[in-house]
């Protein structure tokens, strides 16, 4: 089974150097949750090393997303729009931090086969879970936690809609395209009164441990 590895500090430092050479004076770096990866520490180490060589060249803000790309992808895109529209660096950073403090992410695998391979659950628990059609619904903000266990794939949708109390913006998440993503989008639209921003692919950091048969959603809490 594949494994993941964080980006080393030297790679971050090279990107900072490239930005400086292009004339940038401000830089925002958003990383995967620091409790699950050394990415955040690498970005900070690179920042310190870069500023030692170029103390006044650039202002660098490194942000721990406290989640995964499926949670911080959308606010980064919006932050880019804000920067292009002339928003101040402080306002852009404030927007990202505020969004990340309120983002909610829930997902569920349709099988425990890959979770077992990754070592996240024991073979015995996975075997019993598969026999009775158990599906864990997982929160992926901060440390991943099972927030509910349901029986069968259909129950995944009703459970996620139950958590969907706050509203826009919201997105549907999948690894491999599935009809259930359309069903989840419609169910959420019935609650919110408007469609999701889109259906987006969950990244490798999650799917390596859960497999390609997975569905989820992300939205902004209060």
């Amino acid at each position: 089974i594949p494994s993941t590895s964080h980006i080393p500090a030297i790679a971050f430092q090279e990107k900072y150097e490239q930005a400086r050479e292009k004339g940038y004076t401000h830089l925002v770096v958003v990383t995967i949750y620091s409790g699950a990866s050394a990415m955040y520490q690498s970005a900070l180490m690179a920042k310190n090393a870069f500023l030692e060589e170029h103390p006044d060249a650039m202002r660098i803000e490194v942000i721990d997303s406290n989640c995964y790309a499926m949670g911080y992808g959308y606010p980064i895109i919006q932050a880019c729009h804000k920067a292009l529209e002339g928003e101040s660096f402080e306002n852009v950073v404030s927007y990202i931090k505020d969004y990340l403090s309120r983002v909610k992410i829930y997902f569920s695998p349709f099988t425990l086969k890959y979770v077992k391979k990754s070592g996240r659950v024991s073979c015995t628990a996975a075997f019993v879970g598969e026999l009775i059609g158990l599906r864990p619904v997982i929160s992926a903000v901060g440390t991943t936690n099972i927030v509910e266990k349901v029986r069968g794939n259909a129950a995944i949708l009703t459970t996620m809609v139950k958590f969907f109390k706050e509203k826009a913006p919201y997105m549907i998440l999948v690894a491999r395209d599935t009809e259930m993503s359309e069903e989840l989008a419609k169910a959420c639209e019935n609650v919110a009164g408007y469609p999701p921003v889109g259906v987006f692919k969950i990244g490798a950091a999650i799917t390596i441990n859960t497999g390609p048969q997975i569905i989820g959603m992300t939205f902004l809490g209060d």
Side-chain angles (χ1 to χ4, degrees), residues 4 32-38 68 142:
T4 58
I32 194 172
Y33 167 48
S34 61
S37 168
Y68 299 83

Side-chain angles (χ1 to χ4, degrees), residues 59-73:
R59 182 175 169 186
I60 303 174
E61 183 81 26
V62 180
I63 300 173
D64 176 2
S65 72
N66 198 41
C67 62
Y68 299 83
M70 54 190 178
Y72 63 78

Side-chain angles (χ1 to χ4, degrees), residues 7-17 29 31 39 42-43 46:
I7 298 172
I10 187 65
F12 278 107
Q13 192 170 348
E14 287 172 358
K15 291 297 181 182
Y16 300 165
E17 290 285 359
V29 184
T31 72
M39 200 96 73
S42 288

